[in-house]
Amino acid sequence: MENLRFWQHSPQPWYITGKEHSNMKQSMTLQESINLDALTKYLKHLEDKYAEIKQVMSKKYVPAQRKADLDKEMIVILKQRDVAENLNKELQFHHQRLKIISYALPSWVKSDMSCSFQDFVKQIQKTKVLYGDQSIVEELCEDDPGKAKEAEILLYYFERFNELISLGEYEKAACFAANSPRRILQNIGTVNKLKAVGKIRGKPFPLLLFFEAIFSTSCAHRRPIDAELTLEGIKCALSEKRLDLVINWVTQERLTFSEEAGDVICDYGEQNTYNKAKCLALAQIIYIECSLPNKALLCLCKQGQIHWAMEYIGQFKDFTSNDLMQLIKLCPNTELIQCLTKEWNGKPPFLSFGLVILHLFSIDMKKVGIKLLQEINKDAIEHLMINDPFCSLEEWQEVANICLQNGLDRLSNDIMSILRSQAGVTEISEEDDTVNLMQHVFW
């Protein structure tokens, strides 16, 4: 009761909410509100209510400290997200770069490689900036991990080759380039780099090692070494006086033939008379493979194989008189000329003897013409003149004058005698001005 009195007379304010007041009104009367037992009972009710509210609060609400901890965790996670995004951008950049390389590297290899690979890639990137994702860049942007992986491998070979060159390991570099996958380093760019190295005293020529390696393994590939590399390889071998290598390469068909390759071998033969016959035979093989019958025929004639040359002419039937005149000019062989100006295997001559003589004197090959005239007799010249439908009487008279001017008076007289004996031929003196050449027309 003392406590109750103290509570009633206490100056401290006490507030009862509307709900609490309602509860009190519902559960207690005024008399009960001053009853200790009733108040004790109501206290128990409030304690239960407090426990219920506390339980609800623990489920629906969190402490302010927990919120602070969650904020810290969120900051850490956001930083991790930023790092992952940056890494993703970097990986995307590298992936794009590899795709550019996968497109640029094969194109660069097929080109003349006049610019560096880095400059070539920059040019591709500029193309993409200018034209967007259209045309060739569409192929570049295709998502093909296989191509990217392949580009990495090819780029490795390219960088490794440059590294070996910079380290002075030229022999290793030559072999490394020769054995590169898909012949990625078998190109003029590699040749130029090995050329720049030059010869090293006491060591094999790196460029020659490179060509030996690629030609020896060319049979393993579906296609032979291209014509440009073939030409460079032949030049390199001949510069080192290794005709034996060229013979092996040509006869084993490990290269791509070209007219230029045949010309190089012919020129080498002209400068090295000891090997001239071998060089002509090799060049002949190349010219035949390249469908160059004129040059193949010339090689046969320069080898002295006149019989086979005549058979070759008879087989092709595409040689014109101009072709054969050019052949005589390049190979003024008297036996060849005699064969061309007489019947062969029952067929008429390919050329007129009289026209050949006039042609030789017109191109300053007088000695050859005189030698031919010296070796012919009256019966032979008569047979040639009678069976020659191409050389006119005036042209034969010109041949007779040439004989007279060069001390072959007898042959000149024989030719004139044969001309006079032809039916319908009348000799007109230069001093006879009374003859009217047209009088037979009006008679």
Side-chain angles (χ1 to χ4, degrees), residues 301-414:
C301 295
K302 285 186 175 182
Q303 292 175 75
Q305 299 182 20
I306 305 303
H307 175 81
W308 291 111
M310 295 300 297
E311 292 291 334
Y312 191 70
I313 294 172
Q315 288 176 4
F316 270 85
K317 300 179 181 180
D318 292 332
F319 293 102
T320 64
S321 58
N322 289 334
D323 292 335
L324 299 177
M325 286 292 191
Q326 182 68 14
L327 174 66
I328 292 173
K329 178 182 178 180
L330 297 173
C331 183
N333 184 298
T334 54
E335 182 185 357
L336 171 64
I337 298 173
Q338 289 168 355
C339 289
L340 290 172
T341 55
K342 69 179 183 181
E343 294 180 356
W344 182 265
N345 290 339
K347 297 180 180 180
F350 293 103
L351 291 176
S352 164
F353 181 82
L355 294 180
V356 168
I357 294 298
L358 295 176
H359 180 70
L360 290 172
F361 275 85
S362 68
I363 59 174
D364 198 23
M365 297 183 72
K366 179 179 177 180
K367 291 182 180 180
V368 180
I370 292 174
K371 185 177 181 182
L372 286 168
L373 292 170
Q374 289 174 340
E375 293 179 358
I376 200 167
N377 54 43
K378 183 178 180 180
D379 294 337
I381 195 69
E382 183 177 5
H383 179 76
L384 290 172
M385 292 175 66
I386 292 173
N387 295 283
D388 188 348
F390 304 106
C391 191
S392 66
L393 298 178
E394 290 79 7
E395 288 169 329
W396 276 115
Q397 188 174 0
E398 189 177 347
V399 173
N401 292 334
I402 288 174
C403 293
L404 189 61
Q405 294 169 7
N406 290 278
L408 301 172
D409 299 354
R410 184 175 177 178
L411 182 59
S412 177
N413 293 332
D414 291 339

Side-chain angles (χ1 to χ4, degrees), residues 37-52:
D37 294 333
L39 290 173
T40 303
K41 184 178 179 181
Y42 187 69
L43 176 62
K44 179 68 173 59
H45 168 73
L46 292 177
E47 287 177 349
D48 293 340
K49 197 70 176 175
Y50 170 75
E52 180 183 352

Side-chain angles (χ1 to χ4, degrees), residues 33 80 105 173 185 203 210 273 351 377 383 392 405 418 422:
S33 65
Q80 291 176 348
L105 195 55
L185 292 174
K203 292 186 178 181
F210 171 73
T273 54
L351 291 176
N377 54 43
H383 179 76
S392 66
Q405 294 169 7
I418 296 168
Q422 300 297 308

Side-chain angles (χ1 to χ4, degrees), residues 71-102:
D71 289 340
K72 290 180 181 180
E73 290 180 13
M74 185 177 67
I75 293 172
V76 172
I77 292 173
L78 288 174
K79 287 182 178 180
Q80 291 176 348
R81 184 201 63 182
D82 293 339
V83 171
E85 286 181 351
N86 292 333
L87 179 60
N88 185 47
K89 290 179 181 179
E90 186 177 350
L91 291 175
Q92 285 180 341
F93 171 77
H94 287 301
H95 179 62
Q96 186 71 9
R97 186 182 178 189
L98 287 175
K99 287 198 290 186
I100 293 173
I101 293 171
S102 68

Side-chain angles (χ1 to χ4, degrees), residues 155-180 185 190 193-194 197 200 203 206 210:
L155 189 59
Y156 160 74
Y157 272 84
F158 174 72
E159 292 176 346
R160 177 59 177 162
F161 173 73
N162 287 334
E163 181 184 2
L164 290 172
I165 291 291
S166 63
L167 294 173
E169 299 287 346
Y170 305 121
E171 295 178 34
K172 289 183 179 180
C175 295
F176 185 81
N179 294 296
S180 59
L185 292 174
T190 299
K193 286 191 176 183
L194 293 175
V197 171
I200 304 171
K203 292 186 178 181
F210 171 73

